[in-house]
Amino acid sequence: MAQKQSAATTQTPQDKRAARGGNSLLTALMLLPAVAVLLPSCVVLLIGMIPTVVAYMVDRSRAKSLAVTVGLVNFCGTLPGLAELWESWQDYEVAAAIATDS
């Protein structure tokens, strides 16, 4: 009897992928308005976090500890620029100046 219940509750890999796909679509739809409102911040973060993407691609370990370390340091490095941007009320010109470091 216990075997029948456990067999009925297990999911196939296709079911798990389908469930994740629905969740990622919902997450993307929920984040889209936030990205639209905070576009200058997203631009600064996107440019500032490029070394993290490179570290993620280069890191071959399963834990991706290099990518996590580089990502945290990059995030700390972008915080002063984000603070300056937030003080200017998300101005696009300030975001461009921070991104180009001018």
Side-chain angles (χ1 to χ4, degrees):
M1 185 71 147
Q3 290 178 348
K4 289 181 183 178
Q5 288 177 350
S6 66
T9 58
T10 58
Q11 291 182 340
T12 64
Q14 291 84 12
D15 293 338
K16 290 179 183 178
R17 272 186 251 135
R20 279 195 309 251
N23 289 340
S24 63
L25 178 64
L26 180 64
T27 303
L29 288 175
M30 290 176 65
L31 287 177
L32 190 62
V35 169
V37 170
L38 300 171
L39 188 60
S41 292
C42 291
V43 168
V44 170
L45 277 174
L46 181 72
I47 293 172
M49 299 301 276
I50 288 174
T52 304
V53 175
V54 173
Y56 184 82
M57 290 189 287
V58 170
D59 193 6
R60 293 186 179 186
S61 70
R62 193 163 185 83
K64 301 289 186 186
S65 57
L66 174 68
V68 171
T69 304
V70 171
L72 290 172
V73 171
N74 280 342
F75 183 71
C76 291
T78 58
L79 281 178
L82 284 174
E84 182 181 341
L85 181 63
W86 293 337
E87 287 176 357
S88 70
W89 295 96
Q90 298 281 331
D91 190 24
Y92 287 101
E93 287 131 15
V94 175
I98 291 170
T100 59
D101 198 29
S102 58

